[in-house]
Amino acid sequence: MGEPVQIVVFVMAFVTCNALLDLTGVHQVQGTWMGSVTLPCTYMPSDGFTQQTLIWSMERDHSTSTIFRRDYSGDHILLSQFRNRVSVPKHSPGNASLLIENLEIPDSGHYTCQVTWRSKNNSVITREVTTAVKVVKVAATKPIIRAGELGLTVPAGARTSLTCVASGSPPIRYRWFRGTPGRKALLLSGQAELVWDSLQPSDTGKYYCEVENRAGAGAVQQSDAVELTVTGLTATKPRSEGGSEEPPVATELLYEVAFHSTADVTRLETDGEVPVKCPHKDTNSKTETSNDIFTVKDSSLDSIHVRKNPEYENLMNAMELEYETERI
């Protein structure tokens, strides 16, 4: 009675392991010419089974060729046309997916993933899954414009960019224009990104881009125009070395001279020493015989010229002349 129980347990364990080692993939994928595609091939690892070999093969025109092989000696790419274009993840148990880059039209075909495991009792299990791959050429789509982090309103002197984004089979050709689609415009660049290192107010305007690729048979796709606005620099007040704002600087200095005598002020000039003549009558004569000269200097005043008048002459004779200057 004990043997049937052992046989049932063995069969259940075998069925469970087979279920864990089933490969998961997809029936068909479409790849873009000159793009890349991943062919899924995965399974649930089991402690009782060790992967021995992984083989990817391709069937095209009723002929089957091995593309990739992984075994105890390492990874091997066996078809030269796929060299440096295919890879399988390493150090990722249960993931045997194939990545194909730089797709070519002849890459279309049926790809088979085959995995072989060995159990602890040296039994061998092999599973495989097949995926159909179709490589197509896709015309470039209508591009959209993405602005930089600062958006479309940017202060003068800042760095910003506009990026032309489109999908389709590479290579895609880009052109940037300043203007409006359908009207006369200025060609600026042949790159996907239009960059300004230091914006100027004169950069304000409308911009758009164009794209095309060989798959589109020469058809050009245009984006909608966007308007870039560059704001002026903000005026700042001058600051002193300590960081505080400087007080306003007067454009001219005003002076007022007050005389408590009756002398007439005729002209203000540059700072300097100016001789002032003080005519008076000699004590021995009623006629004017000499002029005493003295100098008035004030660093804050311009030169002062005084002319004679009768009242001033009388005051000098009485020796009661007073001069007073005030700077305002």
Side-chain angles (χ1 to χ4, degrees):
M1 296 294 295
E3 290 184 0
V5 175
Q6 291 179 356
I7 293 174
V8 170
V9 172
F10 175 78
V11 171
M12 291 179 62
F14 182 80
V15 172
T16 302
C17 288
N18 282 350
L20 290 174
L21 296 175
D22 281 344
L23 295 177
T24 301
V26 295
H27 294 295
Q28 184 175 354
V29 296
Q30 181 171 292
T32 303
W33 177 55
M34 296 302 294
S36 62
V37 68
T38 298
L39 310 185
C41 181
T42 59
Y43 64 91
M44 183 70 69
S46 175
D47 292 338
F49 292 83
T50 303
Q51 179 179 302
Q52 295 295 293
T53 60
L54 166 62
I55 296 174
W56 273 97
S57 59
M58 174 190 180
E59 180 186 355
R60 189 169 188 267
D61 297 331
H62 306 289
S63 175
T64 301
S65 303
T66 299
I67 300 171
F68 177 90
R69 178 185 177 90
R70 175 178 288 173
D71 55 27
Y72 68 92
S73 63
D75 293 351
H76 309 278
I77 299 175
L78 304 178
L79 282 182
S80 60
Q81 70 188 70
F82 287 99
R83 196 148 295 159
N84 299 321
R85 295 201 298 125
V86 298
S87 61
V88 175
K90 292 183 178 180
H91 313 298
S92 181
N95 188 0
S97 302
L98 181 72
L99 170 66
I100 308 176
E101 300 179 285
N102 300 321
L103 285 166
E104 299 286 353
I105 298 299
D107 292 340
S108 297
H110 290 81
Y111 292 75
T112 298
C113 172
Q114 183 187 81
V115 181
T116 301
W117 298 270
R118 183 176 295 276
S119 68
K120 291 181 179 180
N121 62 1
N122 288 326
S123 62
V124 176
I125 298 177
T126 300
R127 294 287 184 271
E128 61 183 35
V129 62
T130 299
T131 301
V133 176
K134 184 178 182 180
V135 180
V136 297
K137 293 182 178 182
V138 179
T141 61
K142 179 179 178 177
I144 61 173
I145 296 176
R146 291 179 181 171
E149 295 181 358
L150 299 178
L152 292 174
T153 301
V154 187
R159 187 181 190 277
T160 193
S161 64
L162 297 175
T163 304
C164 188
V165 181
S167 60
S169 298
I172 297 177
R173 183 183 178 188
Y174 299 86
R175 287 187 297 270
W176 274 101
F177 295 88
R178 178 169 182 171
T180 304
R183 300 181 181 179
K184 186 176 180 180
L186 176 65
L187 176 63
L188 300 176
S189 171
Q191 304 297 322
E193 187 178 31
L194 187 62
V195 180
W196 290 268
D197 290 326
S198 180
L199 279 169
Q200 301 301 318
S202 58
D203 293 321
T204 294
K206 291 185 177 181
Y207 297 84
Y208 70 95
C209 67
E210 290 182 348
V211 298
E212 64 176 320
N213 63 358
R214 287 182 286 178
V220 176
Q221 298 286 344
Q222 286 183 342
S223 72
D224 295 328
V226 298
E227 187 162 3
L228 179 68
T229 302
V230 182
T231 60
L233 293 173
T234 303
T236 57
K237 295 182 179 180
R239 294 183 176 272
S240 62
E241 294 182 359
S244 60
E245 293 184 358
E246 293 284 358
V249 179
T251 57
E252 63 180 41
L253 298 176
L254 302 178
Y255 296 94
E256 181 181 338
V257 180
F259 288 89
H260 294 287
S261 67
T262 56
D264 294 334
V265 179
T266 62
R267 187 160 60 107
L268 298 178
E269 296 178 350
T270 58
D271 180 30
E273 295 183 354
V274 180
V276 180
K277 296 184 179 181
C278 299
H280 63 83
K281 292 183 179 179
D282 194 307
T283 54
N284 298 324
S285 174
K286 294 182 179 181
T287 61
E288 183 179 296
T289 58
S290 66
N291 293 322
D292 292 335
I293 298 176
F294 65 94
T295 300
V296 177
K297 180 179 181 181
D298 190 329
S299 60
S300 65
L301 298 179
D302 294 335
S303 300
I304 301 174
H305 294 254
V306 180
R307 66 184 181 183
K308 298 177 182 179
N309 65 49
E311 185 180 1
Y312 176 73
E313 182 115 7
N314 293 334
L315 289 174
M316 287 299 298
N317 290 337
M319 301 299 290
E320 295 178 353
L321 176 65
E322 293 179 358
Y323 292 95
E324 178 178 359
T325 63
E326 296 177 0
R327 175 185 176 183
I328 299 177

